[in-house]
């Protein structure tokens, strides 16, 4: 995996001078093309690579009913600014990687490049994704039944969606449009995205857009951020995102549902409305583990 990701990252140097700092994530779309069968050597007209990519994506969408066309439209402007010769050179480098190995291990390859981009941009992209090990740990805390329904508000790049099995229905929700598009691309990278959906929307103003009861609600909400609008819950005013999740999440679980929330350590001892929330969780015997 490391050899492949190193090759991709080194090949990215071909495109880097043509991209602005905030557009590096376009490489995640470009490397996804190979996983679904794109090969630049099949192009009859190398001068119009972007048209070839567009036609390939449209055809793929019509055959497999995937959202690649929607995702491509988000990156079309960025790709169109790339010099054609550099784009072709980069895609040829990706083509040279063994197909079977690449497809089999694509999610790991995708995530490795994603995290390298995040690290290269420092805190600018810190909100996008929690560490892989942490999201995996949180996802494995609950044993889910077959055909379970999972809701992931404040989803970022769908860090929890990549761990859901193909027989479970996952719906994530992310307010940032660009982050949500990356999350959609990441779900597709799993190869079993049929029952996985990431909606672009506000998890506060449009909480639980499917109006369902869930087997699992799981989230890592923004830390240290006050609520953008005044809200009142069962225990008074809601001051932070974790308080909002605990207040609303419990109400939308089915009889055996679980709520898994990443909270800052201070939430366990802070004053104010958090005291009432903690008291209610203990009083109603809703805490399984911390």
């Amino acid at each position: 995996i490391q050899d492949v990701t190193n090759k991709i990252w080194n090949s990215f140097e071909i495109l880097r001078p043509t991209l602005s700092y905030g557009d590096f994530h376009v490489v995640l779309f470009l490397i996804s093309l190979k996983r679904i069968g794109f090969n630049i050597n099949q192009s009859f007209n190398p001068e119009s690579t972007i048209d070839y990519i567009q036609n390939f994506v449209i055809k793929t969408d019509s055959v497999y009913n995937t959202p690649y066309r929607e995702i491509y439209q988000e990156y079309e402007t960025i790709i169109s600014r790339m010099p054609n010769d550099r784009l072709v050179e980069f895609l040829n480098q990706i083509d040279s990687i063994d197909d079977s190995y690449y497809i089999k291990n694509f999610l790991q390859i995708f995530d490795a490049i994603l995290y390298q981009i995040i690290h290269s941009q420092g805190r600018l992209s810190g909100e996008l994704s929690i560490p892989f090990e942490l999201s995996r740990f949180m996802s494995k805390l609950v044993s889910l039944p077959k055909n379970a329904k999972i809701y992931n508000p404040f989803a970022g790049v769908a860090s929890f969606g990549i761990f859901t099995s193909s027989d479970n229905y996952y719906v994530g929700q992310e307010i940032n449009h660009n982050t949500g598009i990356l999350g959609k691309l990441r779900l597709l990278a799993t190869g079993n995205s049929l029952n996985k959906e990431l909606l672009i929307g506000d998890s506060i103003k449009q909480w639980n857009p499917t109006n369902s009861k869930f087997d699992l609600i799981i989230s890592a909400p923004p830390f240290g951020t006050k609520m953008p609008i005044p809200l009142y819950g069962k225990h008074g005013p809601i001051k932070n995102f974790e308080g909002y999740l605990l207040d609303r999440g419990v109400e939308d679980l089915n009889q055996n549902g679980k709520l898994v929330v990443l909270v800052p350590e201070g939430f366990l001892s802070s004053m104010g409305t958090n005291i009432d929330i903690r008291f209610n969780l203990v009083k109603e015997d809703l805490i399984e583990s911390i």
Side-chain angles (χ1 to χ4, degrees), residues 46-221:
E47 296 302 318
S48 57
T49 307
I50 187 170
D51 293 332
Y52 182 62
I53 292 173
Q54 182 182 44
N55 292 335
F56 173 83
V57 168
I58 292 172
K59 182 179 179 180
T60 300
D61 261 17
S62 63
V63 174
Y64 298 106
N65 191 28
T66 62
Y68 277 106
R69 185 176 185 180
E70 172 198 353
I71 295 170
Y72 166 76
Q73 289 171 346
E74 299 295 325
Y75 295 117
E76 183 177 15
T77 301
I78 301 173
I79 297 172
S80 66
R81 294 197 298 261
M82 296 177 183
N84 190 76
D85 58 337
R86 286 179 177 265
L87 180 57
V88 170
E89 184 181 355
F90 173 78
L91 291 172
N92 274 320
Q93 288 291 319
I94 304 303
D95 277 350
S96 67
I97 302 170
D98 177 73
D99 285 356
S100 59
Y101 184 85
Y102 190 85
I103 293 170
K104 181 181 178 181
N105 299 282
F106 184 68
L107 179 59
Q108 290 175 271
I109 294 168
F110 183 98
D111 270 8
I113 298 298
L114 170 65
Y115 280 98
Q116 282 191 266
I117 291 173
I118 290 174
H119 291 155
S120 73
Q121 296 179 333
R123 295 186 63 180
L124 180 66
S125 296
E127 64 184 30
L128 294 182
S129 178
I130 64 174
F132 181 88
E133 295 82 3
L134 180 56
S135 55
R136 178 175 57 190
F137 169 76
M138 290 175 63
S139 297
K140 300 301 181 184
L141 286 174
V142 176
S143 297
L144 292 172
K146 193 173 182 179
N147 300 319
K149 291 184 177 180
I150 302 165
Y151 178 39
N152 177 202
F154 313 106
V157 288
S159 293
F160 299 114
I162 64 173
F163 294 105
T164 59
S165 63
S166 57
D167 60 1
N168 293 334
Y169 176 68
Y170 165 90
V171 55
Q173 189 177 32
E174 170 55 38
I175 190 172
N176 183 287
H177 185 84
N178 292 335
T179 303
I181 293 297
L182 270 180
K184 289 174 182 280
L185 197 57
R186 195 180 187 197
L187 289 178
L188 287 167
T190 65
N192 64 344
S193 59
L194 187 62
N195 294 327
K196 299 180 181 183
E197 183 178 17
L198 201 153
L199 306 174
I200 309 297
D202 189 333
S203 297
I204 296 174
K205 294 180 180 179
Q206 301 160 339
W207 173 264
N208 188 3
T210 63
N211 293 316
S212 302
K213 293 290 185 179
F214 296 96
D215 298 281
L216 173 64
I217 297 178
I218 186 168
S219 183

Side-chain angles (χ1 to χ4, degrees), residues 3-19:
D3 289 344
V4 172
T5 54
N6 284 343
K7 180 170 185 174
I8 294 172
W9 192 249
N10 291 335
S11 300
F12 182 42
E13 294 296 331
I14 299 167
L15 299 177
R16 196 190 297 264
T18 71
L19 296 172

Side-chain angles (χ1 to χ4, degrees), residues 278 281-282 284-290:
R278 293 195 304 267
L281 293 174
V282 173
E284 298 187 19
D285 194 24
L286 296 176
I287 297 176
E288 181 171 303
S289 63
I290 298 176

